[in-house]
Amino acid sequence: MKNIELPKDWKMDTLDNATSIIRNGANIKQGEDGGYPITRIETISNSFIDINKFGYAGIEELGKYKDYLLQQGDILMSHINSEKHLGKVAIYENCNIEIIHGMNLLCIRFNNEIILSKYAYYFLNTKRFKIQLPRITKKSVNQASFSINDLKNLKIIIPPLEIQKKIINVLEKSEKALEKRMESIKLLDELVKSRFIEMFGDPIRNPMNLLKAELGKVGEWKTGGTPSRSNNEYYNGNIPWLSSGELNNMYCFKSVEMITELAIKESSAKIIEKGSLLLGMYDTAALKSTINMIECSCNQAIAYSKLDEKLVNTIYVYYCIQIGKDFYKSQQRGVRQKNLNLSMIKGLEILMPDLKRQNQFADFINQVDKLKFEMQKSLEEMENNFNSLMQRAFKGELFN
């Protein structure tokens, strides 16, 4: 951040001079329950401290670890992760439980006589700060990292405390508006689930005693394949090729990777007809699903089928599986990596109400999706406005 003109009384300094602590966490063996909660890398994966993603230190007395309890305003930062997640931060605030700061996340504690923690948290989320990270990042095969000493030398803009308070106030108000919009979108998902239960009942308990059918009876199921990575002629073509990590939404319109017609001809990857249902089979991606809105292909971790439209509505089947996902996933096999296979996918049973009611449910989903699309479009605009507001705030254009 060289040659930046700052307003009067604003200054730029290093993180080292603006903080009282930047350190790694306590090295304690972690379990899934029992003892004090302790942070893990995934604790801040969604940019907030997620109480559902703690480990647990098997200790009942803090002893020497008391110094590692998080304090109000502490900021956790990811410094060992995949490159795109480096520098991700979350702030410890308004939390009523004692949490031990564990290994592989840095704790940054700012000197509040110089800089307020919430102001620093917002600044650490800006492009102006994050653009400094690549020059201290060291890359390896599966992850990237930076050292505490290198982090300490990065720069932060520090306005007077009164200006910091004003910046915090305006950004918090904008952030709350974003949260309300996201909550509204989430409520639409709950509405869909409620409508499904109202029309068909729980897909596992089947209180309406509807007929059931195995997925193998309503469509022909196949798995994809991965063309050889050693043959460059198989990749960077014009055919979308999906991995299970991309099965995140009901509809799929594109893929990260593309393969060639030669790959389709010479490998186990095949063309999947538009409007098919795709289901992940392996580990945490099991039963993640999507309906492809383009002709595409996929890898071997995905099962797919163009369902028989005379028997089922694909949108209905998608939701039947998603709502019953936890039960279906209990059928996974494996000790460490629990997987489904093609036979197990074919054997999954779904409720079979008459096609007319399935179509009525799908029509309802289409109406909700139109509303959701508009709300998500509005959310994107709000996010862009928030980012613009942050840029202006840290340039001194809002207050000086």
Side-chain angles (χ1 to χ4, degrees), residues 28 39 47 74 90 207 242 309 377 384 400:
I28 308 176
T39 63
S47 299
D74 281 352
L242 293 165
E309 296 178 353
K377 184 177 179 182
N384 289 336
N400 53 45

Side-chain angles (χ1 to χ4, degrees), residues 137-355:
T137 297
K138 296 178 175 61
K139 301 176 186 179
S140 59
V141 176
N142 296 318
Q143 65 181 18
S145 63
F146 52 76
S147 71
I148 292 175
N149 285 336
D150 285 338
L151 178 66
K152 286 180 176 181
N153 290 323
L154 299 190
K155 300 294 181 65
I156 186 167
I157 293 172
I158 308 175
L161 289 175
E162 285 304 312
I163 299 296
Q164 292 182 41
K165 291 176 183 177
K166 291 180 180 180
I167 290 173
I168 292 169
N169 185 51
V170 71
L171 292 180
E172 281 184 336
K173 287 180 178 178
S174 181
E175 197 170 39
K176 285 177 181 177
L178 276 173
E179 290 171 355
K180 287 181 179 179
R181 181 51 51 88
M182 287 188 282
E183 183 63 26
S184 296
I185 294 173
K186 186 178 178 180
L187 288 174
L188 286 180
D189 294 331
E190 292 299 318
L191 175 64
V192 167
K193 183 177 180 179
S194 296
R195 182 62 171 162
F196 184 98
I197 299 298
E198 177 187 335
M199 292 184 68
F200 312 113
D202 184 284
I204 305 305
R205 293 189 296 109
N206 191 18
M208 297 184 183
N209 294 316
L210 297 173
L211 295 176
K212 290 185 175 183
E214 294 180 348
L215 287 181
K217 301 296 184 181
V218 297
E220 182 182 357
W221 289 87
K222 301 177 181 179
T223 58
T226 300
S228 173
R229 293 284 183 181
S230 63
N231 191 334
N232 292 332
E233 293 184 354
Y234 288 164
Y235 289 89
N236 299 316
N238 58 3
I239 301 171
W241 182 75
L242 293 165
S243 67
S244 55
E246 297 173 76
L247 309 183
N248 297 315
N249 300 301
M250 183 168 72
Y251 295 120
C252 175
F253 297 90
K254 60 182 180 180
S255 66
V256 174
E257 290 191 274
M258 308 285 279
I259 60 175
T260 64
E261 292 183 7
L262 184 63
I264 295 294
K265 182 179 179 180
E266 297 183 355
S267 78
S268 55
K270 301 304 176 188
I271 292 293
I272 302 172
E273 187 178 348
K274 178 181 175 182
S276 297
L277 181 65
L278 285 70
L279 298 175
M281 294 192 294
Y282 296 166
D283 201 29
T284 56
L287 296 184
K288 288 178 65 175
S289 56
T290 194
I291 300 169
N292 62 315
M293 303 306 290
I294 49 169
E295 276 196 347
C296 65
S297 187
C298 69
N299 68 14
Q300 66 276 10
I302 297 172
Y304 64 89
S305 175
K306 178 66 173 176
L307 302 180
D308 188 340
E309 296 178 353
K310 295 178 181 179
L311 298 175
V312 291
N313 183 295
T314 303
I315 293 174
Y316 163 79
V317 176
Y318 170 90
Y319 275 100
C320 195
I321 291 171
Q322 292 308 301
I323 292 171
K325 182 190 286 188
D326 289 342
F327 171 79
Y328 294 132
K329 287 182 70 174
S330 70
Q331 310 303 303
Q332 288 172 285
R333 294 175 179 171
V335 178
R336 294 186 178 178
Q337 185 178 20
K338 294 187 175 183
N339 301 327
L340 297 169
N341 57 39
L342 189 59
S343 295
M344 295 168 74
I345 292 290
K346 292 178 180 179
L348 296 179
E349 286 189 327
I350 59 169
L351 301 181
M352 284 291 287
D354 61 80
L355 188 56

Side-chain angles (χ1 to χ4, degrees), residues 15-58:
L15 287 180
D16 191 27
N17 291 333
T19 57
S20 58
I21 286 177
I22 301 181
R23 68 179 179 194
N24 209 331
N27 187 6
I28 308 176
K29 184 178 180 180
Q30 299 186 22
E32 296 302 321
D33 53 49
Y36 277 83
I38 182 168
T39 63
R40 297 172 166 176
I41 288 179
E42 58 265 33
T43 300
I44 67 167
S45 60
N46 294 315
S47 299
F48 63 88
I49 294 177
D50 190 337
I51 62 174
N52 297 310
K53 295 183 178 180
F54 289 145
Y56 286 86

Side-chain angles (χ1 to χ4, degrees), residues 111-126:
N111 180 349
N112 284 334
E113 294 181 359
I114 300 172
I115 184 168
L116 302 176
S117 295
K118 194 60 180 283
Y119 167 88
Y121 165 75
Y122 283 127
F123 185 84
L124 295 178
N125 276 295
T126 63

